[in-house]
Amino acid sequence: MMAYTDPTTWPSLGEIDPDLVTLLSKGTRPRFDKEYTVESIVPTRAQWDPIYKDAARKALEHPSVTNVTHKTIQIPHRDGSSARALLYQPTDPSENSTGGSPLLVLFHGGGFCFGCPEMEARNCINAVQMYGMVALSIEYRLAPEAKFPTAVEDAWDVVRWIAANSSAFRADPRAGFIRGGTSAGGNITAVISHLARDAGLSPPLTGIYLNIPLLLDPSLVPTEYTALYLSREQNKNAPILPSEAMAMYAEAYEPTLTSPLWSPAIWPTGHKDLPPTYFQICGMDILRDEALIYERTLRVECGIETRVDVYPGLPHVFYANFPDHPRAKGYAGDTARGIGWLLGVSKMV
């Protein structure tokens, strides 16, 4: 039995990883450390975005990257604004035997306050190179300028537009339509999976990728899972996403805590008939147990296929914040294999 399927083992996943102890003992700080004040968000964002964009450029220009083209497009929102989207495509569309590529749509993390589409560049490039997919990384409006539920509304507008216009960029969602996201982007992804199912989105989503997602407000934990929901307390002082960071994000974004658009784990029409779902979950993450509870709900209660990669003793987004950690360099490979699983194919990475 895999450890994550036994809830009695979940607290042990929060025991700090020995290699991380070594890094911290040498004075290593998280690469994207920050103040936990709303006033600091906009200037910090301005400092970080060029780093993400430079990393995306270098990833695309790496000699190992072949058969990938890239451009920026704009996708409309309901209010007349638009989202900047990075579009990655195979250079030679004739390689796609179905007449169109399977489609991957990703939304970045950043607590609804930070980040840009370039953060998902590596995953998009891998999807194009390995599986011949068309991949898009999408922006959404950020807090504190844009409050809840703007990010979800932006994302839902984008997903519907992509479903209706995918042939314009040589994609065929019927060959695979995978929607994914990291952290806040994982929250948005889980919400969209339910909206798409309930609205009968056509073509339908065929796979969901949830990387360290926010899924459940502590005030809404169902009684049967209260005893399992321990990570918010156990990991409240963990690096990268301590409770102070969660408070800052909530103050900036101002979510309605009782809304399923904030806590999709309690979606009012349930979770049956959702697509297969791939999870990446960090053991020393304040969000760990809501992901594990949600995975268990999908798998055990709803009969949905799931795949899970767990990183014991490691904090939220450790791979970007502690790039010298031995497990950091393998994270993108795990992601690529998970996306391959959602497509029903396998690749060695």
Side-chain angles (χ1 to χ4, degrees):
M1 177 182 291
M2 290 173 284
Y4 72 85
T5 63
D6 179 1
T8 65
T9 68
W10 293 358
S12 67
L13 297 174
E15 297 171 4
I16 189 167
D17 172 80
D19 291 314
L20 181 59
V21 172
T22 300
L23 285 173
L24 294 174
S25 70
K26 294 178 179 178
T28 304
R29 298 290 301 164
R31 187 181 182 197
F32 296 99
D33 211 358
K34 58 187 175 294
E35 296 179 22
Y36 302 128
T37 64
V38 172
E39 294 75 20
S40 70
I41 290 172
V42 173
T44 301
R45 189 193 302 159
Q47 293 174 5
W48 288 355
D49 280 3
I51 299 173
Y52 300 135
K53 292 177 180 180
D54 185 58
R57 177 187 59 79
K58 290 178 179 177
L60 194 63
E61 293 175 352
H62 194 276
S64 66
V65 174
T66 59
N67 193 37
V68 180
T69 64
H70 162 265
K71 64 180 177 180
T72 301
I73 64 173
Q74 296 289 326
I75 299 178
H77 294 146
R78 67 189 71 181
D79 63 2
S81 63
S82 63
R84 183 173 69 95
L86 305 183
L87 172 62
Y88 298 85
Q89 297 168 285
T91 302
D92 182 3
S94 67
E95 293 184 3
N96 301 306
S97 60
T98 63
S101 296
L103 185 58
L104 174 67
V105 181
L106 296 179
F107 286 78
H108 64 81
F112 303 94
C113 297
F114 300 103
C116 57
E118 283 79 4
M119 293 170 71
E120 294 291 344
R122 169 48 61 192
N123 291 330
C124 288
I125 292 167
N126 284 347
V128 176
Q129 280 207 287
M130 297 173 61
Y131 305 115
M133 301 183 80
V134 166
L136 294 106
S137 182
I138 314 293
E139 82 174 352
Y140 49 91
R141 285 173 284 188
L142 300 173
E145 300 94 325
K147 305 296 186 181
F148 174 85
T150 302
V152 167
E153 291 175 347
D154 285 357
W156 182 222
D157 291 347
V158 164
V159 169
R160 287 184 294 175
W161 185 90
I162 289 172
N165 294 276
S166 58
S167 61
F169 32 88
R170 305 194 304 267
D172 181 4
R174 294 168 298 180
F177 192 177
I178 295 172
R179 171 75 179 78
T182 295
S183 194
N187 171 275
I188 294 169
T189 295
V191 170
I192 295 300
S193 70
H194 292 84
L195 291 174
R197 180 204 60 185
D198 292 353
L201 181 73
S202 182
L205 299 176
T206 63
I208 298 297
Y209 162 46
L210 301 178
N211 180 28
I212 49 177
L214 182 153
L215 297 166
L216 182 60
D217 190 81
S219 65
L220 301 176
V221 178
T223 303
E224 62 269 30
Y225 290 118
T226 301
L228 302 180
Y229 192 76
L230 304 174
S231 59
R232 291 268 183 156
E233 177 63 25
Q234 182 188 22
N235 297 323
K236 66 181 180 181
N237 296 317
I240 304 165
L241 191 63
S243 57
E244 293 92 339
M246 294 293 292
M248 176 190 68
Y249 292 138
E251 181 183 353
Y253 191 44
E254 298 181 7
T256 301
L257 300 183
T258 57
S259 172
L261 299 180
W262 178 247
S263 294
I266 58 157
W267 198 263
T269 56
H271 313 295
K272 287 188 179 295
D273 300 319
L274 291 175
T277 302
Y278 167 55
F279 291 81
Q280 286 174 297
I281 302 170
C282 292
M284 201 169 67
D285 187 352
I286 204 167
L287 304 179
R288 179 195 70 215
D289 288 347
E290 53 209 78
L292 290 167
I293 289 169
Y294 184 60
E295 186 277 334
R296 186 176 181 84
T297 301
L298 296 185
R299 175 173 47 85
V300 176
E301 298 180 18
C302 301
I304 295 168
E305 289 185 89
T306 65
R307 173 181 171 126
V308 182
D309 282 321
V310 178
Y311 304 86
L314 293 171
H316 197 77
V317 205
F318 76 90
Y319 51 92
N321 281 277
F322 298 101
D324 293 331
H325 189 278
R327 296 207 66 181
K329 290 179 175 58
Y331 204 88
D334 292 342
T335 304
R337 282 186 287 271
I339 289 170
W341 176 79
L342 291 171
L343 283 174
V345 299
S346 62
K347 289 270 187 175
M348 295 301 293
V349 185

